[in-house]
Structures are given as C-alpha cells and as structure tokens.
C-alpha cells in the first residue's frame, strides 16, 4: 500500500530557519510540504515584482493608501531588496528581537499589499496564511470548492493535486489543523482517486489538539463524509497498524486513538497510547522527554492542555532511565539545543533528572517548564540547574490575586507572590532566564485585581534583568473545567460558531470584553518592549508569541543587551534601507525598513532627511529649526 504525507497550508513563520535546529528531520514516508510550496510560489521573484508593479497601478491616484503601503510603493526597488533580505533571514546567535521584528514586519507588509491587490476579502498573514473560518466543518464543506470563498483553491488545483496524482497513493496522511484547503483537496482527490483513503493526523500543540474534541468528532457526520480516518496519535507505529489492518482487512478496534466509520457508525478507539509505540524524533529542537506524561498538577480550571492525552487519569510514572537514554541518543547525534515541551516537570523529578545529567556529563543548552513551587528554592536544585546548561524556565504565574488564583485552582498557597519573587531572584542571579505568563480576563476578575497582577510582573521586570513576562487573554477551552462548569463561574453566554457537532476548534466565544482586554494587554506589553514601533502589522502580542515559538531566548544574548543611546553631538547618516517620500496628504515621511520606525511632518522632515544623508548631528538640526534650540540643550 503506497503512502503519502502532506501538511496543511498555513503560516510562514514556521519556515524561518534557526541555527539551533542543527539537523534536518527526515520522514520515513513520501512527503510533500504544501505549506512551504505555497509560500515559495508566493515569494518567487516574478510574483514579488508582479505584485509590486500591480500595487503601483492599483493605488494610482488613490486617496486612501495606508502609510506603510505608501512606503513600499514610493521606492519598490528598496522595498524589494529589503524583502529579499528578510526572506533569507535566519535566527542565529546574538540576534536581537528588533532585528527579528524588522524581518517579519517587512514580510507582513508584502502580505498586506498582496491582500489589498489580490485576495480581498481574505487577509493574508505570515501567522495564519489566509485568515478564514477554520472551526466549522459545515462551512468548510459547503464552500471549499467555491472560488470566491476559498483563497487557496487555485493553488490546490494547479500546484498540489497534480503532484499527488503523480504519486497515486493508496493512503494520504494530512497533518495539521484541518482548514478550507484540506477539505478542498480531499474532495478533489476522492473524485480523481476514488479508492484513496484519507486520514487526518492530530498535530498537538499547546493550543490545539483534535483529541480535545473527540466527543464532537464522533458526531461529525460531515467530516466523515469526506475523510476516512482520524489519528489522535500520529506516530509511525500507529500508521503501520492502520495500513496493516487495511491490507489484511482486519478489525481496527485495537488501534489506539483511531476514529473511523464502520457500518454507518463513527467509532473512537479511546484506548491508551502504548509506551512501546513511542518514537522520538531527535532531529527536532522541541522534545517531549516524558512522552506519555502530562502536567502533574492537573487542577487548573481554565486549562485543557492535559486533555490532549488519553492517560491523564492514570498514575504517572516518570521514567528517568528511559529519558536519559533518549538524551544519550540525542547527545550522540550532536544536537546540543533542547526545548522541552513537557507541560510541567515536578521539582523532585527535575532534581533526579539533573543528577543524571551531571553523571552523564551532558552538554546541552536547554529550556523546561514547571510550576511555581517552594521546592524550586532548594539550593541543591538551583545549583544543578545552573551547572547543567539550563538557559530558560517558563513558570505559569497567571495572576497576583489570591481570589482569582483560587478560582483558577492554580494554587492554594497564601505566600505565592513571595515564593514567585524568590524564585526569580535566585535563578536570575545564577544567569537563568525566568518567564511568567500572565492570564487576564478570568470571569469576575476586577480591574483592581488585574492591575495588581500587571503591576507585580512589571515590578519584577524592572528589578531583575533576566525576567520577562507576557499577557494572555483567557480563551474558553472546550475541554476545561471552566467550560464544563461555566455556570459556577458567572459566565452568562457561550457561543459556538456552528452546531457543536461540526465544531473543529478548541476555544469558544463567551461574554468577555475582548477589545477592552486587548487594549490593556497591548499597553502593558509596550512597557516591557519600549522600543516597539508605534505602527506595525504584527501586533506586539503576536510578536512575542512568534519570538517564543521560534525559541528566541536561545539566540538572544540578554547579558549583552544595551539600551540605545543617542548622542545629540554625534553625526548620523541614514542607511540604504530608508526611504523618503511625500504622502498623499502632503506631509513628508522618512521610513526605515530595518526597524520599521518612521516620522511624519512638514518641510523640516525633508531637511532632516537630506541632512542625515550628508551626515549631520541632531544638535545642529535642532539649532537650525528652533529659536529655542540652545535653551533646550
């Protein structure tokens, strides 16, 4: 039986390379990366130049042109060179957040131009691909082959279907969250290859898993009119079990995590994933060291992360000898960087693990996640962490309000804040970066409680150089206790975007004030990243998520971070990444594509531009155009 694997078209950011990915993963299956192919076609030289030329025509004589689009079109040659540089960007040692933002914002600017010229009403972004309704199987089935509803349809028909038809597979594995491209492709392949089997394969992330909605999937008749199988555990051994069952025409009820249709009934084999079927890809930066384990706390009311697993109600076994064997194999392959994706490793297990690290003289640079616990203050544990290559630790802080923490079931410890700060103090003083996620918007949270949480992490960030935080807004996870017992938390309304049985998402809308919270989050994050430009297509919150997702802490040397200082007496000269133009409203603008800062104004801006082209000090410019220049200085 011939197998073929594809992924789901989506974001561009996953394609940005980094030095910490020291080797390239190889699949045992025939594989077509249709996401990479989509972006490769979009960013081909011919297509970029064509869009830039069309953009000039599209906005000719227009009085409604966003300032950043004006910056692109005022000198398309300069933008083209900056875009090409951004597309060649690679995360490497000592890269800064500013440089990373500069590259992704440049690419996002082109995506915005593409949207305005080619794909409206569908917005193209580097974080999602084409933004569209992905959560309703009913919608995706209804409109996936309609050209005015599916922005991927031409790409699927012209670039993907022919390649798969060349292979003529008997079974197609599709990884990633299903979207409108997935549905269209499946329908077309069923037409051209009537006997093909098509399986969706769960691609677990912190934020999404098909396993969380397995009870809805077995009611999703639309989904199973198009797809034949869903693998809730995507693994080479599980795939082999399904293939053998198809070849031998044998029963499928022993295949863990398989959802399939039999005699008109949709069946889910909700049986534990066998430990002997676990396979570890040692070529990836991300590693789940204890593959079948989950967060040991397993009580947080808002969290559904443990519901990605079938074994969450069983007593966990932390198999340290097996974990060390995995690390030995990784060490043998020469992969030094590890981002552990284990939800939370208990301090007592962490200590035992690190003792084995020392015995084996591992030389990894790595990151892990755990909870804020007093056991982390064990001096021996701190010393082990310090001496065994730990670069960064994420600790789920969530809130500074004791009342909210109790509602969250995050902790029942009365000295939580004291313990949290002591952990930050002890670990950062030993050169280890500590990060706290903060969660706002929990039901019944007051403004005072929210502000107290934000003030606390802001205080920590000012006091401890190696501390950082980010702000999350509560999303109602369909597998969480908060969703299942919404009436106990004063939630007034829950809104599904479709009939629940056709729902493919993990989070549902509820009666929260998202816009209000988003504004609070943005303002707070700007206090932490004061250098962040005022106007970007990549929001500051999206930027942080991308930086973490690309494991940016491994690249940035925070010990050498300096605050830029502008000496008014020094001469400055603009670089070749800067453009100067007169806007459609008659103002003058200087726009820098390196860091995406710009200034607008009258004729003085014109003078500033030409002065900096010749190299002039800021003091001289101020003196020339301000009769109060000397007094100001």
């Amino acid at each position: 039986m011939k197998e073929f694997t594809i992924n789901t078209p989506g974001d561009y950011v996953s394609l940005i390379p980094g030095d910490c990915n020291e080797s390239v993963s190889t699949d045992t299956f025939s594989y077509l990366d249709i996401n990479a192919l989509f972006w490769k076609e979009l960013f081909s030289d011919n297509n970029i130049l064509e869009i830039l030329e069309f953009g000039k025509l599209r906005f000719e004589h227009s009085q409604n042109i966003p300032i950043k689009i004006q910056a692109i079109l005022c000198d398309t040659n300069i933008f083209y060179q900056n875009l090409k540089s951004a597309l060649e960007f690679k995360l490497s040692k000592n890269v800064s957040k500013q440089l990373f933002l500069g590259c992704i914002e440049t690419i996002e600017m082109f995506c915005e131009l593409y949207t305005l010229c080619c794909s409206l009403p569908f917005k193209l972004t580097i974080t999602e691909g084409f933004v569209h309704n992905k959560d309703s199987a009913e919608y995706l089935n209804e409109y996936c082959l309609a050209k005015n509803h599916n922005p991927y349809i031409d790409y699927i028909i012209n670039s993907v279907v022919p390649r798969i038809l060349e292979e003529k597979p008997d079974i197609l594995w599709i990884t990633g969250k299903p979207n409108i491209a997935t549905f269209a492709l499946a329908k077309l392949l069923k037409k051209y290859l009537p006997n093909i089997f098509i399986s969706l394969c769960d691609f677990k992330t912190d934020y999404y898993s098909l396993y969380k909605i397995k009870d809805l999937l077995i009611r999703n008749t639309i989904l199973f009119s198009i797809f034949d199988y869903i693998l809730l555990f995507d693994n080479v051994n599980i795939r082999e079990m399904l293939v053998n069952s198809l070849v031998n025409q044998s029963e499928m009820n022993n295949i863990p995590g398989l959802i399939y249709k039999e005699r008109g009934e949709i069946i889910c084999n909700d049986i534990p994933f066998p430990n002997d079927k676990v396979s570890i890809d040692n070529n990836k930066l991300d590693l789940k060291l204890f593959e079948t384990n989950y967060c040991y706390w397993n009580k947080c009311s808002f969290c559904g992360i443990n519901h990605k697993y079938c074994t969450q109600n069983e007593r966990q076994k932390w198999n340290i000898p097996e974990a060390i064997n995995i690390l030995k194999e990784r060490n043998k392959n020469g992969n030094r960087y590890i981002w552990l994706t284990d939800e939370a490793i208990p301090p007592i297990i962490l200590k035992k693990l690190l003792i084995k690290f020392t015995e084996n003289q591992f030389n990894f640079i790595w990151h892990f996640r755990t909870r804020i616990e007093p056991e982390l203050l064990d001096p021996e544990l701190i010393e082990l962490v310090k001496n065994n290559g730990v670069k960064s630790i994420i600790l789920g802080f969530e809130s500074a309000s004791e009342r909210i923490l109790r509602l969250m079931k995050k902790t029942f410890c009365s000295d939580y804040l004291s313990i949290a700060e002591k952990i930050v103090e002890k670990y950062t003083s030993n050169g280890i970066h500590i990060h706290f996620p903060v969660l706002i918007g929990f039901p019944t949270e007051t403004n005072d409680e929210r502000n107290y949480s934000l003030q606390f992490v802001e205080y920590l960030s000012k006091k401890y150089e190696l501390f950082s935080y980010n702000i999350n807004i509560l999303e109602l996870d369909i597998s969480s206790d908060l969703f299942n017992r919404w009436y106990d938390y004063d939630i007034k309304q829950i809104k599904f975007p479709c009939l629940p049985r056709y729902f493919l998402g993990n989070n549902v809308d509820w009666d929260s004030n998202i816009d209000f919270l988003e504004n609070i989050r943005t303002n707070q994050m700007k206090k932490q990243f004061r250098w962040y430009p005022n106007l970007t297509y990549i929001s500051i919150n999206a930027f942080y998520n991308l930086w973490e997702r690309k494991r940016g802490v491994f690249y940035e040397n925070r010990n050498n971070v300096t605050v830029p200082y502008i000496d008014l007496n020094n001469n400055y000269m603009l670089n070749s990444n800067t453009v100067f133009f007169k806007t459609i409203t008659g103002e003058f603008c200087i726009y820098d594509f390196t860091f995406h800062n710009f200034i607008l104004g009258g004729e003085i801006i014109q003078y500033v531009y030409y002065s900096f082209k010749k190299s002039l000090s800021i003091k001289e410019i101020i003196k020339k155009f301000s009769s109060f220049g000397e007094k100001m200085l």
Side-chain angles (χ1 to χ4, degrees):
M1 179 169 278
K2 187 172 183 180
E3 303 174 51
F4 198 73
T5 302
I6 63 169
N7 57 1
T8 302
D11 74 292
Y12 171 79
V13 178
S14 60
L15 303 174
I16 298 175
D19 285 344
C20 292
N21 291 298
E22 296 182 0
S23 57
V24 179
S25 177
T26 55
D27 293 319
T28 56
F29 310 103
S30 297
Y31 179 71
L32 176 64
D33 188 338
I34 68 173
N35 185 47
L37 180 62
F38 169 78
W39 290 103
K40 182 180 178 181
E41 290 185 6
L42 181 77
F43 293 134
S44 67
D45 278 352
N46 288 341
N47 195 55
I48 291 172
L49 293 171
E50 184 179 316
I51 296 301
L52 291 176
E53 283 303 306
F54 185 76
K56 288 190 283 188
L57 181 63
R58 153 77 168 84
F59 288 106
E60 188 176 15
H61 308 306
S62 173
Q63 296 301 307
N64 185 26
I65 314 175
I67 190 67
K68 294 170 80 72
I69 300 300
Q70 292 183 59
I72 293 174
L73 300 179
C74 78
D75 193 327
T76 54
N77 290 327
I78 289 181
F79 179 78
Y80 173 80
Q81 294 302 326
N82 277 275
L83 178 60
K84 294 297 289 183
S85 295
L87 293 170
E88 293 168 1
F89 173 78
K90 181 180 182 180
L91 283 162
S92 57
K93 191 172 177 60
N94 292 333
V95 73
S96 67
K97 292 185 180 77
Q98 291 94 325
L99 186 57
F100 178 63
L101 173 67
C103 290
I104 61 176
E105 178 67 13
T106 297
I107 301 170
E108 188 76 341
M109 286 175 69
F110 179 79
C111 289
E112 181 68 15
L113 180 64
Y114 183 92
T115 296
L116 296 173
C117 291
C118 306
S119 67
L120 283 175
F122 296 100
K123 184 177 180 65
L124 179 67
T125 75
I126 63 171
T127 54
E128 290 188 54
F130 285 115
V131 180
H132 65 280
N133 180 347
K134 305 180 186 71
D135 291 339
S136 168
E138 187 175 27
Y139 174 89
L140 296 175
N141 173 63
E142 182 72 22
Y143 295 110
C144 65
L145 294 180
K147 287 197 171 187
N148 60 334
H149 284 83
N150 184 352
Y152 288 108
I153 190 65
D154 289 336
Y155 167 68
I156 294 295
I157 290 172
N158 297 325
S159 299
V160 180
V161 170
R163 295 195 182 204
I164 297 176
L165 293 181
E166 285 178 12
E167 298 291 330
K168 294 185 173 62
D170 298 298
I171 185 165
L172 179 71
W173 311 103
I174 304 178
T175 65
K177 182 180 178 180
N179 65 13
I180 202 162
T182 314
F183 274 68
L185 180 59
K187 279 193 168 186
L188 291 168
L189 290 178
K190 287 286 187 177
K191 174 185 176 183
Y192 298 122
L193 300 171
N195 296 320
I196 192 173
F197 295 105
I198 302 179
S199 175
L200 295 173
C201 304
D202 196 8
F203 182 73
K204 291 178 172 61
T205 70
D206 285 352
Y207 310 105
Y208 185 79
S209 173
L210 288 171
Y211 195 91
K212 289 184 180 182
I213 54 171
K214 64 183 186 302
D215 292 338
L216 299 181
L217 293 175
I218 61 174
R219 295 167 172 81
N220 198 329
T221 52
I222 289 178
L223 195 66
F224 279 90
S225 69
I226 302 169
F227 302 96
D228 300 288
Y229 307 105
I230 296 177
L231 298 187
L232 297 178
F233 309 124
D234 185 19
N235 179 279
V236 59
N237 298 297
I238 299 297
R239 291 189 185 192
E240 185 179 333
M241 292 175 72
L242 179 55
V243 169
N244 289 339
S245 179
L246 291 171
V247 170
N248 300 322
Q249 297 184 338
S250 57
E251 293 291 325
M252 297 182 177
N253 57 7
N254 66 330
I255 303 176
L258 178 69
I259 304 182
Y260 59 104
K261 196 171 184 179
E262 184 176 84
R263 291 186 288 273
E265 181 184 1
I266 302 172
I267 300 169
C268 175
N269 295 338
D270 193 13
I271 53 181
F273 187 82
N275 290 337
D276 62 347
K277 298 297 182 184
V278 172
S279 62
I280 302 294
D281 186 349
N282 268 318
N283 294 308
K284 293 182 178 179
L285 174 61
D286 289 6
L287 170 68
K288 193 168 193 305
L289 195 56
F290 300 95
E291 179 65 30
T292 58
N293 289 35
Y294 49 90
C295 175
Y296 66 93
W297 178 252
N298 197 27
K299 295 175 184 176
C300 295
S301 59
F302 61 88
C303 184
I305 200 166
N306 280 347
H307 292 270
K308 299 186 296 184
Y309 308 106
C310 180
T311 56
Q312 62 165 307
N313 293 321
E314 298 180 1
R315 183 178 177 81
Q316 298 192 87
K317 296 179 181 178
W318 298 87
N319 193 331
I320 293 178
E322 181 180 307
I324 293 299
N325 287 334
I326 291 169
L327 293 169
K328 284 180 178 178
E329 190 64 28
R330 194 177 186 96
N331 194 47
K332 190 191 305 181
N333 293 346
N335 297 345
R336 291 191 60 214
Y337 291 89
I338 302 174
W339 186 280
L340 286 190
T341 58
D342 300 73
E343 279 70 36
I345 302 176
I348 188 171
I349 299 300
L350 186 63
K351 187 173 181 178
K352 292 177 181 178
L353 183 67
L354 285 167
I355 290 171
K356 293 297 181 182
F357 261 69
T358 303
E359 291 175 2
N360 285 275
Q361 297 182 333
F362 289 142
N363 190 29
F364 295 120
I365 296 172
W366 60 296
H367 152 95
F368 67 86
R369 296 184 291 192
T370 189
R371 285 174 42 78
I372 293 173
E373 303 272 24
E375 290 79 7
L376 286 176
L377 295 171
D378 175 359
E380 187 179 352
L381 175 59
I382 295 171
E383 194 68 16
L384 284 166
V385 170
K386 174 186 175 181
N387 294 331
N388 281 283
V390 176
K391 178 87 170 179
S392 169
I393 307 171
I394 291 181
L395 299 160
F397 173 75
E398 315 308 353
S399 178
S401 163
E402 186 174 340
R403 185 184 76 87
I404 293 297
L405 286 168
R406 289 183 180 277
L407 282 175
M408 290 179 171
K409 299 179 183 175
K410 181 70 185 178
T411 184
F412 303 106
C413 181
S414 59
D415 55 349
Y416 184 71
L417 298 188
S418 173
I419 293 169
E421 182 171 1
K422 286 177 183 176
I423 290 171
V424 174
E425 178 190 359
K426 295 295 184 183
Y427 282 84
T428 59
S429 66
N430 282 283
I432 297 154
H433 173 245
I434 297 292
H435 183 84
F436 282 3
V438 180
L439 183 64
I440 64 173
F442 196 86
T444 74
E445 178 188 58
T446 66
N447 290 335
D448 287 344
E449 288 169 329
R450 184 185 311 112
N451 291 336
Y452 186 44
S453 297
L454 300 180
Q455 288 165 6
F456 182 74
V457 291
E458 186 178 351
Y459 152 74
L460 293 178
S461 69
K462 290 178 178 178
K463 186 173 181 180
Y464 304 101
E465 184 180 355
L466 291 179
F467 172 81
S468 64
Y469 63 89
N470 73 295
I471 313 296
N472 296 314
I473 298 174
L474 176 71
E475 295 184 283
L476 193 54
D477 190 307
I478 196 171
S479 62
S480 67
D481 182 63
L482 190 61
F483 173 85
N484 292 321
R485 296 175 53 243
W486 55 272
Y487 40 82
D488 287 337
Y489 294 92
D490 289 349
I491 293 175
K492 299 175 184 176
Q493 185 181 45
I494 292 173
K495 290 179 62 178
F496 279 87
C498 58
L499 292 175
R501 66 175 179 269
Y502 298 139
F503 184 60
L504 295 175
N506 279 179
N507 301 310
V508 294
D509 291 336
W510 63 290
D511 52 303
S512 63
N513 192 340
I514 291 293
D515 292 339
F516 172 73
L517 294 171
E518 188 63 57
N519 187 53
I520 289 174
R521 172 165 72 166
T522 297
N523 291 337
Q524 185 65 41
M525 289 296 283
K526 284 185 175 180
K527 293 179 181 179
Q528 186 174 204
F529 300 120
R530 296 184 181 277
W531 53 266
Y532 206 85
N534 288 328
L535 180 63
T536 57
Y537 289 127
I538 302 285
S539 73
I540 192 169
N541 308 300
F543 164 75
Y544 173 77
N545 290 334
L546 296 177
W547 181 251
E548 181 183 311
R549 182 177 157 195
K550 298 306 294 185
R551 313 318 187 196
V553 71
F554 279 162
Y555 301 100
E556 184 179 37
N557 186 349
R558 289 183 62 99
N559 290 324
N560 292 328
V561 172
T562 57
V563 178
Y565 172 71
I566 297 178
D567 187 337
L568 299 184
N569 294 300
N570 281 353
N571 284 13
Y572 293 93
M573 181 176 289
L574 296 174
N575 60 40
S576 59
N577 297 329
T578 305
V579 293
F580 170 75
F581 60 96
K582 192 173 185 178
T583 70
I584 57 174
T585 57
E587 295 175 294
F588 292 98
C589 179
I590 303 174
Y591 192 102
D592 170 38
F593 285 114
T594 304
F595 299 117
H596 294 280
N597 294 302
F598 66 91
I599 54 175
L600 287 168
E603 290 187 3
I604 187 174
I605 301 301
Q606 187 175 15
Y607 176 79
V608 168
Y609 175 74
Y610 287 111
S611 297
F612 282 153
K613 290 287 282 188
K614 298 175 183 177
S615 181
L616 197 68
S617 73
I618 295 175
K619 186 174 182 178
E620 289 176 289
I621 294 173
I622 295 175
K623 284 177 69 175
K624 183 173 179 63
F625 282 89
S626 173
S627 58
F628 302 102
E630 291 294 336
K631 293 180 181 179
M632 289 194 304
L633 299 174

